[in-house]
Amino acid sequence: MAPFVEVCRYYKPLPFHCPCRSTPTNSLILPQLSLKYSNLRLLASKPSSHPRFNGISFNRSRVITAVARVESEQLGDDSNSKEEEERDKEVQNVEEDSSLDQQKEKSRSQFKKRVVFGLGIGLSVGGVVLAGGWVFTLALAAAVLLSAREYFELVRSKGIAQGMTPPPRYLSRVCSVICALMPILTLYFGHIDIAVTSAAFVVAMALLLQRGRNPRFSQLSSTMFGLFYCGYLPCFWVKLRCGLTAPVLGRSWPVLLGGQGHWTVGLVAILVSFCGIIASDTFAFLGGKAFGKTPLISISPKKTWEGAVAGLVGCITITVFLSKSLSWPQPLVSTIAFGVLNFLGSVFGDLTESMIKRDAGVKDSGSLIPGHGSGILDRVDSYIFTGALAYSFVRLHGV
């Protein structure tokens, strides 16, 4: 590159007047200098005999040489800039590929965690259900305690607290403990009327007698619904599993696992209900992902009618299959009705929890379960209403 001048691609004609002619007839094309080199001048290395024009001394051969050198260097700069752009693109592509690889690796690890913890939870729940008695009741009480704590945290969130006054924190903790005691009292007394009535009275008195604050109806309503939703409804699973002790005819049970008396109507009913709920959620997810186009309800935009129909078909299919396999003492019509009831309870419980989370402005109720990114309440919402429906169905049909 010329050391003292920068020549651009666009040239501006500079007229000059020859002394031997009356009018200018030629124009010399000179490069237009950029601003940062505007104070520079073209100078000859030796004294020139050429005429001077406007204080500038010209050497035509040197000017042409300078222009050629600058243009060649500009072409070199353009090629270098293109090479740099290509290198930048290659670097960007490599970075994008590495980020995609990292995302794929992260999704794989999350999927592995989901599978591992899902299988662990499934096997644990299956063992607890088969054990029954106090093992089943204490495990249910622990799940109820965690679910109640997540519910009262949702009530205290900004999305819900903006439109109402949440209950005091100490009262939320007391209610969580009361909810956890309800399944235990149900197994001990055989019914839950006394427990629910006593809990409602204690909570109402605590709200009315709190110091320094004016009690609000929103506090009472949210607390009472929490006792009903997280404490009262799960107790029906205890009544279904431990209350219906009539043996199932035509099905033997290993002596090491309790013998014939362990294979009861309550055990078969709860196994059929749990498997029906799992089938409903699984088929609804797969059907909605493959064929879902029509939204089901605005509370949960991802749910579709196509997924709901797939979930209903899956729930009925699994219910009928297990009823025949486990010697369920019901005709086919009653078995199908039982599957429909399990499906409705599952969907209604899921939508109820979605409504609470939507008002709270959160996606998940918690992050307790590794790999799933969700809380206990997100995993058990489909079972909350189904227990009461399943127990009522079995009792009304005299099984």
Side-chain angles (χ1 to χ4, degrees), residues 44 82 94 273 371 386 393:
K82 290 181 179 178
V94 171
S273 295
T386 314
F393 178 88

Side-chain angles (χ1 to χ4, degrees), residues 86-103:
E86 291 178 356
R87 291 175 183 175
D88 294 337
K89 290 181 179 179
E90 291 179 357
V91 172
Q92 291 178 357
N93 293 332
V94 171
E95 292 178 351
E96 291 177 356
D97 293 338
S98 61
S99 63
L100 290 175
D101 293 338
Q102 291 177 357
Q103 291 178 358

Side-chain angles (χ1 to χ4, degrees), residues 129-130 240-241 244 246-249 251 253 262-275 319 322-329 338 342 394 399:
V129 170
L130 292 176
L240 181 63
R241 175 63 184 91
L244 303 180
V248 176
L249 300 177
R251 171 64 62 175
W253 188 256
H262 192 80
W263 194 256
T264 62
V265 172
L267 176 59
V268 175
I270 199 171
L271 287 175
V272 173
S273 295
F274 276 19
C275 293
T319 301
L322 290 179
S323 298
K324 297 297 181 182
S325 302
L326 302 177
S327 301
W328 175 253
F338 189 62
N342 287 326
V394 174
V399 179

Side-chain angles (χ1 to χ4, degrees), residues 372-383:
H372 288 256
S374 59
I376 295 294
L377 195 59
D378 293 321
R379 299 295 97 189
V380 302
D381 54 359
S382 300
Y383 298 83

